[in-house]
């Protein structure tokens, strides 16, 4: 029992120390956004790389997400004669919750792990140390650009995934009904309101920031040794995914309080 208490105490202490380190790292990264010179070319390069690398996965997943959600929901609505509500139900479900969370988790697995492994390899091979010696700030050139790129790209990817999911939903409905794409989209958008779109869009910026921040933090603080590179990538995925769920929970509670008032 005493051994268990010591292990639990050590685990809690380690978690609290890492949270403190992440907070300090976050403040340093945010500071880099306002320090000149900012690496605009590296930002554009990373934005293109992140978007180009993730777009095919987001497209396939978004289409299947809308298709499966429609196929699962339609029999229940048909049983009550409410199949006309299907486009609106799918659009609200996708835009408010399913689209942002699923897309963010995919980005955490694809982007955050890639950034963690890339920076971890740079740390192990002493490339980051070489940048400091040559006068280039790694936090500015390597970290800040990637964090800002994910912050800007993830909301765009979420919007794209939502659109593809609605197309997938239309394909599923067309398997059973003769409905035009114009009528389907009209019903889908009639059910949406600003209280659905705005909170869902705002939280995607936080998703993107956390995905980039945790990936860079894990890679930037990789210990020496090649084994630690894989550990940094895996740890980045797990931590970023957990952070996404926490942010989503807080965002839902906050948006409910605001729009209920």
């Amino acid at each position: 029992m005493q051994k268990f208490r010591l292990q639990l105490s050590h685990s809690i202490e380690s978690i609290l120390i890492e949270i403190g380190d992440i907070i300090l790292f976050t403040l340093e990264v945010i500071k880099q956004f306002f320090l000149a010179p900012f690496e605009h070319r590296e930002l554009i390069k990373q934005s293109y790389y992140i978007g180009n690398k993730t777009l095919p996965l987001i497209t396939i997943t978004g289409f299947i997400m809308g298709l499966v959600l429609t196929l699962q929901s339609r029999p229940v609505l048909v049983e009550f004669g409410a199949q006309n509500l299907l486009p609106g139900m799918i659009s609200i479900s996708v835009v408010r919750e399913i689209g942002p969370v699923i897309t963010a988790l995919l980005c955490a697995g694809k982007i955050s792990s890639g950034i963690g492994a890339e920076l971890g390899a740079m740390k192990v091979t002493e490339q980051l140390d070489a940048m400091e010696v040559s006068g280039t700030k790694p936090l500015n050139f390597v970290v800040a650009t990637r964090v800002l790129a994910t912050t800007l790209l993830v909301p765009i990817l979420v919007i794209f995934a939502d659109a593809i999911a609605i197309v997938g939903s239309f394909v599923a409905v067309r398997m059973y009904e003769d409905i035009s794409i114009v009528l389907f989209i009209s019903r889908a958008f009639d059910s949406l309101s600003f209280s659905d779109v705005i909170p869902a869009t705002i939280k995607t910026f936080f998703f993107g920031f956390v995905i980039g921040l945790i990936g860079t933090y894990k890679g930037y603080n990789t210990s020496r040794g090649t084994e630690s590179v894989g550990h940094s990538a895996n740890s980045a995925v797990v931590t970023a995914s957990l952070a996404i769920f926490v942010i989503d929970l807080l965002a839902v509670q906050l948006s409910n309080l605001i729009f209920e008032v």
Side-chain angles (χ1 to χ4, degrees), residues 251-261:
V252 169
Q253 295 296 327
L254 185 61
S255 61
N256 287 340
L257 288 175
I258 293 175
F259 287 101
E260 282 180 0
V261 174

Side-chain angles (χ1 to χ4, degrees), residues 84 87 170 173-174 177-185 187:
N84 290 337
F170 168 73
V173 172
R174 282 283 294 184
E177 301 177 18
D178 185 16
I179 183 174
S180 65
I181 182 68
V182 176
L183 179 59
F184 182 89
I185 293 178
R187 290 178 178 176

